[in-house]
Each structure stands twice: as C-alpha cells, then as structure tokens.
Amino acid sequence: MKSLIPVQEKKKKKKKKKNNLKNNMQKIFYFLGTITALILLHSCSVKKFIPEDKLLYTGADLELSSEDEIEDRKSLKAELENLITPEPNSRILGSRIGLYFHYKAQKENPGFINRFMNKRLGEEPVYLSDADPFQTEDLLKNRLENRGYFYSRVGHSVNENPENKTASITYKAILPQNPYILADYAMDSDSLMVYQAIEETLPETLLKEGEPFNLSMMKAERERIDAALKNRGYYNFSSNFLIFEADTNQYDRKKFDLFLRVKNEVPEAGLKPYRIKEVNIYPNYSLGSDSLAQDTIRYNDRNYIQDEIFFKPEKLDPFVLLEEGDLYNPEKSGKTSRRITSIGTYQFVNIRYDEIDSLATDSLGYLEANIFLSPMNKRAIRAELQAITKSNNFAGPHLALTYTNRNLFHGGEILNLSGKVGYEQQLSGGDNIGKRSIILGVDADVVFPRMLFPIIEINSNWFEYSIPKTKIGAGFEYLNRSELFSLFSVNGSFGYLWKANRFITHELNPFSVDYSQLSKTTPEFDKILKENPFLKSSFEQQFIAGLTYSFLYSEMIDALDEHQFFVNANLDLAGNLLDLLSKGEAPKKFLGMEFAQYAKIDTDLRYHFNFAPEQTLATRIFAGIGIPYGNSDVMPYSRQFYAGGPYSIRAFPIRSLGPGRYTIEGEEEIPYYDRTGNLRLEANVEYRFPIYQFLKGAVFADAGNVWNTKRRNLPPEDQLTEQQKRLIETGTFGSSFIDEFAIGVGPGLRIDIQSFVIRFDLGFPVHTPWYEKGERWQFRFDDPQFNFAIGYPF
C-alpha cells in the first residue's frame, strides 16, 4: 500500500538513514585505524626481544664507482642488488610487525592471539650473522665479469648500531674505466650440414657489434640457435653442443672477436635433421589402454586410433598441424597442443616422438609422432549457490543449475544448459520502491570448435594460431521489480569467437536479437514514465536486432612486464537490416514489433606501469557514445551508459551521476533508473602497493560523467514540463563538459589471495557537477562512499 507520509517527512527519514550509514562506515574505518595504530605502536618495540649477542640485519646498500661513466648504470645496479642476500625482515610503515608477532609467540604463554598472528604474519628474525658478505662479494665480482667489467674490485663495510641492536652492510664496487666491447661475431667454417643451418640463423642474432661483453646474452644466443635448429628438424640438438671462443689479441684497447663452433665429440644423432614418418592420434586415450586392440582409421595421411568413434577424425583433423614428411618442428607441436586444448573436450594433450632407427641414414633421421588425447568427463552437472553483487548495487542469493555436454555430436561441440532463480535487494540509493527483485531465467548455448556457414572462402593461414569457434545461444528471463514492473525478455545470438594470437581476441556476432516486454506496471512506475517521456521512449523500443563486434588486446597476461597495455573496443549496430525489410513511415514495425535503430561504440584503454615489485600505477580512459537514428529517437534503456559505483567513479553511488549536471529541484536523490545517458567519458588512475603478504593498498582518483546528445523530434517547448526543460538544458553534452566531470579520490584495501581479490574502496567527492558554480569544488570528507567489490576495477 502506498505510503501517506508527507514528502518532507520522507526526506528527513531518508537523510537520517543516509547519515546513519555514513556514521557507521566512519566508525568502522576509525576502529580499523585504531587497531592498526596499536599494532604499529607495539611492533616498534622489537628491540627488547633481540638477544644480547645478536644484531638485527636491516639490509644492504650498494655503491658503484668508476673513473668513467657507467653505461646503463640503473639496470646494472638493479641486477647486482638482486644478488645480495639475505632479505631483511619486512617493514610496514617503518615497523616490523611480522617479527614482533614471531617474538611474542616464543614466550612461555604466548596466548591465542599471538599464536594466531604469528601463524599468519610471523617472520623468523634475520640477524647480521645470517649474512655472508665475502660470498656476496664473490657473486658481485663474478656478475661484473659476466658483464665485461674484468678486474673489478669489490669490498664491504659493516655498519653497527649497538643502541638499536641493528646492523647493515655497505658493498662498494670499483669498476674499470670501460668494459670489453664486441668487435666481430662469426661462425667457424665446417663441412657439417649443421654449420650451414646455424649460418642461416645468424641474421637474427642477439649479439650486436659494439655491445659490451655479456655472458648472459651469450647463453641466450645459444638458446636462440638451439630453438632455431629444432624448428629445422634437429630433434637431438642441444644448446650445450655450442661453444664460444673469444680473441683479444688483435686489439690494443678493450675489444674482442667472438667465434662460435660446435663442440668436438657431439653424438651423430645431434648433428642431423629428422623427418616425421608417421602421425598417430589417439582421440580417447587412457593410461594402460592397448592400441593394438583398437581400430585405426586412415584420414588425410594420419592414423586415428580409437576403439569406437569418440571424436570424428574429420572434425579433429583441422586442429592437427603435424604432417607426414615434414621436418620435426616443436613450434608446430606446441600449436597443435594449444589448438586441441582450446576445443574444451580434452584434459591432457601429450605429444611424444619416437625415433625409428631402422630407417635412419647418416644425413637424416625419422620419427613417429604420437598424439595422446585424454578427454574430460563428457557430461557434468553443477549446482551453485551464489552471492551476487551487481553494478546497479543490487545484491542477493542466486541458485544456478548447469548441465554440460563436452562432446555433443562427437566433434568437440559443447552444450551448456542452465537455469537460475534469484532474489535481490538494492543496498542503497533512493526509497524502498523498486529495491527488491525476483529473477527467473533459462539459458542454452552450443559452441562448435569450427566456423559454421562462412560467407566467404576462409584462408587457413588466417587462423594459424587458433581455429574460430561458432557460438549459438538463446535465453529467457523474467524480472519482477517490487512496486514497479515485471519484465519478460528473450535473447538469441549467432557468432564467432577466435584468438588471433596470445594477445588479441575477436568476437563477431552477425546476428544478435533481444526482445523485452514491460508488463504489470504499477501507478508509481506509470507516473515516472509520464513525467519523463524520454525514459518512456527508451522502454518502448525493446526489440533490438543487429550486429555486435568486440576487439580485445591484452598484455595483462604477462604479469611481470614493466609496461602493460589493454584495449577493449566494442561496436553495436542495431535495426539496419530490419529497416530495409520494413515499409512505411517511422516508427516502423517488424512482425508487429517496433524495433530500435542505433549505432553504439565504446573503447576502454588501460595502461599499467609496474615500476617496482608489487607496485603499479594503473590508468584507464573510457569513452563511449550511442546515436539513435532512423526508427529511434532515444537509445533503448538497456543500451544506455551510466556512471558511479565500485567499477567507475567510486566517490559517488551507482547510477547517481548525470546526465551532465542535471538534478531534480527539491529532491536530494534521483531514482537509479533516471541517471543514464548515451555518451560517457571517464578517466581513472590508481597507485597500488603492497602492505603485507596478501594485504594490498591503493590510492585512487576518478573523474567522469554521462551526458545526452541533442535529442531528435522533441515536443514543442510549450508542451515540455519544467523537469524536461531542465533535463535538456543541463543534461546535454556541450563545450563546458569538463566542468561537469564528477571527481573523487580515496584510499583502498585489497585482499589478494592467488589472484582472487576482495576489494574495499572509500571514495570522497571533490567535484560535484550539479552544485552551483563556485560550490562544485568541495572536499567532502564528511560524505564518504564505501565500495565493496570483487576484482580490481581496471
């Protein structure tokens, strides 16, 4: 029953509730801060636990000096510092918490808390006696010689502080004026076939004339040559068969010539290439199975050995790159293994080569390639009880049941059938209307590990890295939003997914359709739609059919790289084909349904600078725009942008921003379904750093907003309400958009356990766009926004 409480009384209750939440959050952070301060205070007193005959080791410094400028000094120093051991006890804000709890746990009656904290955080003490500076001197000197600095001198001094019971070590390395420089690099001549093969690889050498002597680079050059020879068929070759010889006699200054040759007494098998004589594939292999009792099918010059048809040879054959008559090539083996694994049917892929001695000659050997494929369980049923948190601040329990068949038609096809039921409650924002929902859904999809119905002839070289997959999906969902509406929606899609290489992924859906029907609306929701015809229009055109494309480039897979880039670009075109098939004036209908027509594009750009161990400067820029045209005056509601929340601008609640500087006069908040736009700009920066083991910290700054572009087919001005006029005036993108950015800053904590991240962020608004000019820049530290989320925001 609709509440009869006066509007002002409702506002007071809402404001009181918001203030209570804010005060509770502040109390939590004050409590955590107090506990942290107490721990740090107590942990400063580890000195009293250090034995009288011991000094706590606090680390080492390294000083490099030379009469000449040291080339690449920073890199050389970092390389040398990595050799210095041991690592001192870790510190947090200047205090050794781990060491403190270790000492406390050694007491006769340490208590439960000290034992628990020692188990989780404790560290064994590192004393000066644990360091061996003379051994470290030898390591440093050896590494300097490996870098061409022969005749370097390395010494050390111990810095003791008896008062604090601590000690550190300073290492000093005096380098000669210049390292030895490579003048010429060549291969010795010989009649062996392997020498010619090595000569062919030298244009890609890692050793460059004019570079300093570098033993590590020489080892890498041997590995490079070994890999290149393996790909030319030299199955038994090893990098240990190669040896470098240096000659300094021809030069007065510090230069040397480098010669490469094959060692004497190398086995004959290591000096000749090998060809593949047979390719045997076991599509349903299990340990201990007898291949002689199984049937062999000869297909495309390969042997498929299985007791019954588990995987059809003609379906599996495109994934295999090994061919009879080819030279041995481990790169092809790796690609074959990766391609077969990508099917999703097999748990293990093992490629084994066996030498065929009876066919070998002095100049050529032969191999038998055996591909053993161990399948996963074909069928699986999984039930999940999930705790769901969504980007619109809805959260609640979900029950999902999924059935999977991993080899539906004996060609690697994967069928997924899933059903779900859930209840959700919005955690904050607005009054109680529409804050509860019930969800029922059914989804089905089939993934084929090949391209179905290609429009044009496909060149196999296009998909050398992996074979595209075809995905056909359909789904149904029922959503009941309390005191607002019920929504039925169905969707279907047909498309392709493939990886161009380890960094790039493409997804193309030439057919994608979504249809939603709004029903059982309440008077409250009808009133909302009546007051906002733009919102009403966005709910009307819920038949969306078109094409989508996604491009993903990610270097985040190389977690140790200093510089990492990420690009995710999406294109969504809807209604164009239906517009051609439909007749009449706008709004046109297809099969009796009014359809949406628009173009939408967005790009997410990220750059991570990992400048120190576990320290990252992460940045992101997001830009997106959707343009309705033809049959549509407004973007469908489900395709509009929104801003704010744990994955966006964290100092503001979900969907609380925009469009532009729009606000409702006299209202403190706007319902979440009003805060959308068809243009979004956002920028984020975050500094991430370690605190202790799995506990990480961050400080961040976010800026952005959503806007509307100029509306089409607006009603006459005299027919617009004041609210609608204000929305057009303040919510439309214009030249002053920068002044309409919402900006927030704040700190964060992350619990990062083996890449599973639980994230807490506390954001403070510093620029609020809907305030009057002159009042927008306010550091509102009394109005924090607490965010809880899973995973990093970007």
Side-chain angles (χ1 to χ4, degrees), residues 345-516:
T345 301
Y346 291 105
Q347 185 175 15
F348 300 109
V349 178
N350 180 27
I351 301 179
R352 189 187 74 197
Y353 290 92
D354 298 324
E355 294 187 47
I356 305 177
D357 294 333
S358 60
L359 299 177
T361 66
D362 292 340
S363 61
L364 192 63
Y366 288 93
L367 298 171
E368 180 184 71
N370 297 285
I371 305 176
F372 302 99
L373 307 178
S374 302
M376 301 179 181
N377 291 331
K378 182 177 180 180
R379 299 175 182 86
I381 297 178
R382 184 177 72 251
E384 292 181 297
L385 181 61
Q386 304 168 333
I388 300 294
T389 60
K390 292 185 176 179
S391 59
N392 58 3
N393 240 23
F394 275 81
H398 278 223
L399 177 63
L401 186 66
T402 302
Y403 166 78
T404 300
N405 187 315
R406 297 188 178 93
N407 195 17
L408 185 62
F409 305 121
H410 301 287
E413 303 84 4
I414 298 178
L415 168 68
N416 290 304
L417 295 174
S418 62
K420 65 180 178 181
V421 57
Y423 171 82
E424 297 175 358
Q425 173 94 24
Q426 193 178 28
L427 300 179
S428 63
D431 51 32
N432 288 324
I433 296 178
K435 292 188 65 175
R436 296 181 300 277
S437 64
I438 296 175
I439 298 174
L440 301 173
V442 177
D443 291 287
D445 62 68
V446 182
V447 180
F448 297 84
R450 65 193 68 92
M451 285 195 76
L452 300 182
F453 317 121
I455 300 175
I456 60 175
E457 185 178 351
I458 303 298
N459 187 330
S460 60
N461 292 331
W462 290 4
F463 306 120
E464 184 179 358
Y465 185 82
S466 67
I467 293 178
K469 295 182 178 181
T470 303
K471 182 177 180 180
I472 303 174
F476 164 81
E477 185 174 275
Y478 167 76
L479 169 66
N480 180 270
R481 185 66 50 77
S482 65
E483 301 181 52
L484 287 178
F485 59 83
S486 295
L487 188 70
F488 294 88
S489 61
V490 293
N491 63 81
S493 64
F494 173 87
Y496 306 104
L497 174 70
W498 74 96
K499 293 183 70 70
N501 52 51
R502 61 192 297 262
F503 300 111
I504 296 176
T505 302
H506 301 273
E507 184 172 359
L508 173 65
N509 292 304
F511 171 77
S512 175
V513 60
D514 289 273
Y515 173 70
S516 301

Side-chain angles (χ1 to χ4, degrees), residues 138-150:
D138 292 339
L139 290 173
L140 295 174
K141 187 175 181 181
N142 180 262
R143 184 57 56 89
L144 286 170
E145 290 179 350
N146 291 347
R147 291 287 296 265
Y149 291 97
F150 296 98

Side-chain angles (χ1 to χ4, degrees), residues 60-64 73-87 136 140 143 171:
D61 293 321
L62 175 63
E63 298 177 3
L64 299 181
R73 182 189 188 96
K74 183 178 179 181
S75 172
L76 177 62
K77 187 175 181 180
E79 184 178 346
L80 295 173
E81 286 176 338
N82 287 333
L83 302 174
I84 299 176
T85 57
E87 287 287 332
T136 301
L140 295 174
R143 184 57 56 89
Y171 294 95

Side-chain angles (χ1 to χ4, degrees), residues 241-269:
F241 295 167
L242 297 172
I243 186 171
F244 287 105
E245 295 178 341
D247 180 11
T248 61
N249 294 327
Q250 301 184 50
Y251 304 100
D252 296 332
R253 305 187 63 183
K254 293 182 178 180
K255 290 185 178 183
F256 69 99
D257 292 335
L258 194 63
F259 299 94
L260 176 67
R261 67 174 179 85
V262 177
K263 292 180 180 178
N264 300 326
E265 299 179 357
V266 171
E268 181 182 342

Side-chain angles (χ1 to χ4, degrees), residues 86-115:
E87 287 287 332
N89 291 109
S90 60
R91 305 179 71 172
I92 303 175
L93 301 178
S95 301
R96 301 178 179 89
I97 296 178
L99 184 57
Y100 170 77
F101 284 115
H102 168 80
Y103 280 131
K104 293 287 286 185
Q106 309 310 310
K107 296 175 65 176
E108 185 175 349
N109 295 306
F112 169 78
I113 293 179
N114 287 325
R115 287 198 302 269

Side-chain angles (χ1 to χ4, degrees), residues 103-351:
Y103 280 131
K104 293 287 286 185
Q106 309 310 310
K107 296 175 65 176
E108 185 175 349
N109 295 306
F112 169 78
I113 293 179
N114 287 325
R115 287 198 302 269
F116 175 80
M117 296 302 291
N118 178 53
K119 185 176 180 180
R120 298 294 179 183
L121 304 176
E123 290 184 352
E124 292 279 347
V126 181
Y127 298 118
L128 177 64
S129 57
D130 296 320
D132 188 343
F134 295 102
Q135 182 183 22
T136 301
E137 284 183 10
D138 292 339
L139 290 173
L140 295 174
K141 187 175 181 181
N142 180 262
R143 184 57 56 89
L144 286 170
E145 290 179 350
N146 291 347
R147 291 287 296 265
Y149 291 97
F150 296 98
Y151 313 113
S152 297
R153 288 177 293 161
V154 180
H156 77 275
S157 60
V158 177
N159 314 305
E160 298 184 359
N161 189 332
E163 183 179 350
N164 291 331
K165 295 186 178 180
T166 60
S168 64
I169 300 175
T170 299
Y171 294 95
K172 296 182 180 180
I174 302 175
L175 281 58
Q177 280 187 314
N178 294 298
Y180 277 80
I181 300 299
L182 176 62
D184 185 53
Y185 170 46
M187 180 76 189
D188 274 357
S189 59
D190 197 283
S191 60
L192 290 174
M193 187 188 307
V194 70
Y195 273 79
Q196 181 181 349
I198 295 175
E199 284 278 5
E200 293 173 358
T201 74
L202 290 185
E204 288 80 39
T205 180
L206 302 176
L207 301 175
K208 306 297 181 182
E209 295 178 4
E211 293 289 329
F213 179 95
N214 190 324
L215 185 61
S216 297
M217 193 62 70
M218 293 181 190
K219 292 180 179 179
E221 172 71 358
R222 292 200 313 171
E223 297 293 336
R224 183 197 66 79
I225 293 173
D226 177 45
L229 291 179
K230 288 284 201 312
N231 290 329
R232 286 168 167 79
Y234 287 83
Y235 174 71
N236 284 313
F237 194 83
S238 169
S239 61
N240 293 327
F241 295 167
L242 297 172
I243 186 171
F244 287 105
E245 295 178 341
D247 180 11
T248 61
N249 294 327
Q250 301 184 50
Y251 304 100
D252 296 332
R253 305 187 63 183
K254 293 182 178 180
K255 290 185 178 183
F256 69 99
D257 292 335
L258 194 63
F259 299 94
L260 176 67
R261 67 174 179 85
V262 177
K263 292 180 180 178
N264 300 326
E265 299 179 357
V266 171
E268 181 182 342
L271 301 177
K272 63 184 179 182
Y274 282 73
R275 288 194 182 277
I276 298 175
K277 185 65 177 178
E278 284 188 353
V279 178
N280 301 318
I281 303 168
Y282 299 83
N284 190 17
Y285 177 77
S286 60
L287 190 63
S289 60
D290 185 3
S291 62
L292 296 178
Q294 300 180 16
D295 293 331
T296 299
I297 298 176
R298 185 73 173 169
Y299 182 84
N300 198 21
D301 295 330
R302 299 184 181 99
N303 300 319
Y304 288 83
I305 305 170
Q306 49 190 332
D307 51 1
E308 59 182 25
I309 300 299
F310 174 79
F311 206 120
K312 297 177 181 178
E314 65 271 20
K315 301 298 185 183
L316 184 58
D317 195 73
F319 292 87
V320 181
L321 299 177
L322 306 182
E323 297 185 12
E324 294 181 359
D326 281 357
L327 288 172
Y328 165 76
N329 188 322
E331 280 191 4
K332 283 189 176 181
S333 296
K335 289 179 180 179
T336 296
S337 178
R338 183 185 63 248
R339 287 158 69 101
I340 294 176
T341 301
S342 71
I343 297 174
T345 301
Y346 291 105
Q347 185 175 15
F348 300 109
V349 178
N350 180 27
I351 301 179

